[in-house]
Amino acid sequence: MSSPTEALAGRFGAVVRAARAWRDPAYPPRAEAVARTLEAPNRFTEEALAFAINQQMNLLRPRALQAWVDGRQASAPCTVGVLNAGNLPLVGLQDLLAVLLTGHRYYGAVSSKSPFLLPAFVEEVRRHDAALPARFAEVEGVFEEADAVIATGSDETRGWAEAACERHGIPPARRLLRGHRYAVAVIDGHETEDELEGLAEDVLLHEGLGCRNVALVFAPDGLAPDALLEALAHFRAVFPPHPETPGSLAMQKAFLAAVEQPHAHGDGLEFLVSKGVAEVQPPGHLRWTGYTDLEEVRAWLEARAEQLQLVVAREAVGRRLAAPVATVPPGDAQRPPLDWRPDGIDPVDFLAGLEGCR
């Protein structure tokens, strides 16, 4: 019988071997999970699914995993209930790995929008670690057994999860609840073609539904958006929109026309950009807002820091801006590293510090 330390070491190895297999798009378990996911009621496309899975599987290498966890382990295992969002492919993978690699038991609930990918990957890991302490259930079942909870979703989901924790006696110290957030970009007009192509990915990948998607671009007053519009069109040529996206943008386009608000869009309404005050629009609709100096942008960001996930800006702009949240270069928003901190909180720290479980 292996010791807890040996079992945990084996768990790291099982994750690495599972990821290696899943790097092949034609690997049957991955291909089947993808095919079933594309039939679910979501806005995923084949291209965006491939991007997300490949990006995350390529992160799961021995040194990277060890450096991320960095020896942080739970003093005693807890049953950690995880409520996963369904807005992005494999959106709950970081939480799954953080729970398992800090020595806890994972008890998850998946969204009806993406019910296949995460369980299929868990089964792949289980091929190499038969004792893997991970299972899935309906949401209420998760709360009934959980010692601690991680929940990700809308602000309404966060409020509901908080009330459920109260009902089931899960104290605040054992809750990690995330609500709605978004990203913004700040440009100065000196962005290269590659940087604008990266920004187009940050805006449009996953149909604008992620917390790291850029929803608003601050640009110097007088700067024309033509270069960005061209980059958005180029991106859509490689990553076509979900079939439902043009329809969802049609009503917004009609409203903008009715109120005579300046706007532009792709030929097939694959994207929509409007000029106006700094207000976040529905997913897929990018707002372009002018500024006279970075001080006013910084003030706007500081006033809304609790709603922001990150800021996208090239290095020179980021240094001058000194944003109150993490800043990444264009093209990095949809490529989060293993150790990124949703809502500014390190999930490994949270999990390693859990105490008082049943």
Side-chain angles (χ1 to χ4, degrees):
M1 184 175 180
S2 62
S3 68
T5 300
E6 291 171 332
L8 201 52
R11 197 173 300 170
F12 273 83
V15 169
V16 169
R17 288 190 288 274
R20 186 181 302 127
W22 270 51
R23 286 182 202 128
D24 179 4
Y27 181 59
R30 168 178 164 168
E32 179 183 356
V34 166
R36 297 180 71 189
T37 297
L38 287 170
E39 296 175 354
N42 54 51
R43 289 285 185 92
F44 301 169
T45 66
E46 187 172 353
E47 295 82 3
L49 269 169
F51 177 99
I53 296 173
N54 293 341
Q55 191 269 334
Q56 296 198 58
M57 292 303 114
N58 279 314
L59 294 175
L60 306 186
R61 301 178 186 272
R63 289 185 180 178
L65 287 167
Q66 294 289 351
W68 174 41
V69 177
D70 194 26
R72 292 173 288 175
Q73 303 296 324
S75 58
C78 301
T79 297
V80 181
V82 182
L83 275 62
N84 294 288
N87 55 329
L88 304 182
L90 275 180
V91 67
L93 183 63
Q94 185 197 44
D95 289 334
L96 167 75
L97 296 176
V99 170
L100 294 174
L101 298 181
T102 52
H104 293 297
R105 298 178 294 268
Y106 178 91
Y107 198 16
V110 293
S111 167
S112 61
K113 295 179 181 178
S114 185
F116 306 114
L117 285 174
L118 206 58
F121 185 73
V122 165
E123 287 309 305
E124 189 64 41
V125 179
R126 206 187 307 278
R127 293 174 193 265
H128 309 285
D129 181 0
L132 189 74
R135 55 197 174 117
F136 293 88
E138 298 298 322
V139 171
E140 278 300 331
V142 168
F143 279 101
E144 289 170 2
E145 295 194 33
D147 299 307
V149 166
I150 299 175
T152 304
S154 64
D155 291 339
E156 292 77 12
T157 298
R158 177 176 179 166
W160 179 88
E162 190 163 17
C165 285
E166 291 288 341
R167 290 197 307 273
H168 290 89
I170 301 170
R174 297 206 299 267
R175 307 172 192 168
L176 178 51
L177 310 179
R178 308 180 184 118
H180 173 67
R181 294 207 178 202
Y182 55 88
V184 303
V186 183
I187 63 176
D188 65 355
H190 297 290
E191 285 71 22
T192 65
E193 183 177 332
D194 285 345
E195 287 170 333
L196 290 173
E197 295 282 352
L199 178 55
E201 177 184 292
D202 298 337
V203 172
L204 293 178
L205 190 64
H206 307 308
E207 311 306 293
L209 291 166
C211 66
R212 294 174 66 97
N213 275 96
V214 169
L216 188 152
V217 173
F218 285 99
D221 283 334
L223 180 68
D226 299 40
L228 179 57
L229 293 172
E230 184 175 348
L232 294 172
H234 287 168
F235 179 82
R236 277 308 191 201
V238 180
F239 283 78
H242 187 276
E244 294 180 12
T245 292
S248 70
L249 294 177
M251 184 175 296
Q252 297 173 56
K253 174 179 173 291
F255 173 79
L256 294 170
V259 299
E260 299 183 346
Q261 187 162 356
H263 63 281
H265 54 83
D267 290 340
L269 205 55
E270 300 95 345
F271 61 84
L272 177 64
V273 181
S274 64
K275 285 185 176 181
V277 296
E279 295 176 347
V280 174
Q281 305 301 303
H285 176 176
L286 178 68
R287 175 54 57 89
W288 175 283
T289 298
Y291 69 85
T292 55
D293 62 67
L294 288 177
E295 286 300 324
E296 64 183 274
V297 178
R298 183 186 299 112
W300 190 95
L301 297 174
E302 288 176 348
R304 294 159 180 82
E306 292 297 316
Q307 303 165 34
L308 297 174
Q309 193 65 272
L310 53 84
V311 171
V312 173
R314 65 190 189 90
E315 185 178 0
V317 175
R319 284 198 307 267
R320 293 164 53 208
L321 184 63
V325 295
T327 301
V328 302
D332 273 20
Q334 303 299 346
R335 304 165 190 263
L338 264 178
D339 61 355
W340 85 283
R341 301 182 175 195
D343 294 17
I345 300 172
D346 185 342
V348 176
D349 271 350
F350 167 75
L351 290 159
L354 289 178
E355 296 179 348
C357 299
R358 291 172 288 187

